[in-house]
Amino acid sequence: AQSVAQPEDQVNVAEGNPLTVKCTYSVSGNPYLFWYVQYPNRGLQFLLKYITGDNLVKGSYGFEAEFNKSQTSFHLKKPSALVSDSALYFCAVRDRSDSNYQLIWGAGTKLIIKP
Amino acid sequence: EAQVTQNPRYLITVTGKKLTVTCSQNMNHEYMSWYRQDPGLGLRQIYYSMNVEVTDKGDVPEGYKVSRKEKRNFPLILESPSPNQTSLYFCASSFLGLGVSAGELFFGEGSRLTVL
C-alpha cells in the first residue's frame, strides 16, 4: 500500500539552529513529492515540491528539501530556524501514474521553534 | 485576490440536522476537493471533483455528499450529521495538468464543525 510517514509528531528547535522535518514514502512508481505548512487556525499552504531534476529543491520562506530516491525520503530543512516557522508541516506524495491526481498525506509534524 | 472561501468557519449543530458547508474558488480551477483533519490522522480526503458534474469518492466518503453544478462551487453536504463527523474540514482547489499534477493545492481557511 502506498503511504507517507512522518516519524516525528513534534520537533523542537532553538531559534537560529538548523531544522529538519523528516518524511519517508512508499509508492509504486516514481513520485511527485510536496511539503505543505499549516499555521495556527489557517488552511494549508504549499511550500515546495519535487517533480524532476535537481534533488535539492528550494521553496518558500527559506525552506528546502532533498529528494533521496534510495532512501525514499524527502526531508524538509532550513539552515536557521525562526520563531515564526512554528507550525504544522505535512509531507505529501503522488504517484506519477495516478490519473486521478490523488495525494497521499503524512500525519503531520508539529515544529516548535523556541526563542 | 485568489482565494478559496469556505462558510461557515465555525458551526455547532445537533445529530441529524442537515447542514451544508459551502466552498467557492475564484481561480477558475477545474479540480476541487474536500478533506477532514483530525488529530493524529492528518488529512483524509472525503470527495473530489475533476470538473463540473464530475465527482468521485475519496478515502472517507460515508455520511457526506457533494455536488459540482458550477465550476467555482463545491458544497459539502451532511444529510444527517453524527458526532463522529466532528472535525476540521478543508476545501481545496487546483488547476488540472500543471497545477494538480504538481500538487499545488490552494486551501480554504477551514470549517470547524461540532456535532452534539
Side-chain angles (χ1 to χ4, degrees), chain A residues 32 34 36 38 41-46 49 51 88 90 94 99-103 105-108, chain B residues 9 31 35 37 40-43 45 48 50 88 90 96-97 100-105 107-109:
Chain A
Y32 293 125
F34 315 93
Y36 282 79
Q38 184 182 25
N41 301 313
R42 303 295 301 276
L44 280 75
Q45 298 177 35
F46 171 79
K49 67 187 178 193
I51 301 299
L88 187 57
F90 289 96
R94 183 169 91 75
S99 59
N100 288 324
Y101 301 94
Q102 296 306 88
L103 287 174
W105 295 86
Chain B
R9 293 289 312 279
Y31 181 92
Y35 292 91
Q37 182 179 19
L41 297 178
L43 288 173
Q45 190 178 49
Y48 65 98
M50 306 274 276
L88 179 58
F90 287 102
L96 281 175
V100 176
S101 67
E104 293 185 44
L105 290 166
F107 282 81
E109 294 290 280

Side-chain angles (χ1 to χ4, degrees), chain B residues 45-104:
Chain B
Q45 190 178 49
I46 303 170
Y47 271 95
Y48 65 98
S49 169
M50 306 274 276
N51 215 327
V52 176
E53 303 292 359
V54 180
T55 62
D56 273 299
K57 296 178 180 179
D59 299 317
V60 288
E62 295 78 18
Y64 304 95
K65 286 175 60 177
V66 292
S67 68
R68 188 90 183 273
K69 293 183 171 58
E70 304 166 285
K71 197 172 187 179
R72 64 183 293 126
N73 296 322
F74 191 45
L76 179 70
I77 302 157
L78 286 73
E79 293 272 2
S80 182
S82 61
N84 65 12
Q85 292 179 298
T86 293
S87 187
L88 179 58
Y89 291 87
F90 287 102
C91 180
S93 72
S94 181
F95 284 115
L96 281 175
L98 180 64
V100 176
S101 67
E104 293 185 44

